[in-house]
Amino acid sequence: MCKIYGEGEIVVNSEHRQAIQRVAKGFAATGIALDGVIEAVEHTGDNWFAVGVQWQPASPSASGLDIQVFRALVDAASLRTNAAQPTSRKMALAG
């Protein structure tokens, strides 16, 4: 989440009645509200992109910062696609 939003606090539209109690193996709680509710989790490995947020980034009341979650997903998919292309194809695209 720090790569997406930077370090520090952000304001989110957190209006939920359920929350994560325990984080699954391989994941870490990376966003925690002042009341202790886990608001964001992410996979701890570098081999794939996986984040989860409790707030509503697609909500009409979302802030301009919320689009960054979607941009991060698109960027991760793009990097993975480019890495999977054969070298000759990469060179053709770059040239």
Side-chain angles (χ1 to χ4, degrees):
M1 297 313 279
C2 287
K3 289 179 184 177
I4 297 172
Y5 290 108
E7 298 211 17
E9 292 183 12
I10 63 169
V11 176
V12 297
N13 60 340
S14 178
E15 299 173 11
H16 48 77
R17 295 180 185 187
Q18 297 178 342
I20 297 169
Q21 184 177 9
R22 291 185 311 251
V23 180
K25 183 178 178 182
F27 285 81
T30 54
I32 301 174
L34 295 175
D35 63 0
V37 172
I38 296 172
E39 294 286 349
V41 296
E42 62 187 283
H43 190 261
T44 57
D46 291 331
N47 56 342
W48 59 289
F49 178 85
V51 299
V53 297
Q54 290 279 100
W55 67 88
Q56 313 299 319
S59 161
S61 65
S63 76
L65 290 175
D66 289 319
I67 193 70
Q68 290 175 238
V69 172
F70 298 111
R71 284 188 184 139
L73 174 61
V74 171
D75 290 346
S78 179
L79 287 173
R80 191 171 178 108
T81 300
N82 290 337
Q85 292 178 357
T87 304
S88 60
R89 175 99 170 112
K90 288 181 192 175
M91 292 172 70
L93 292 174

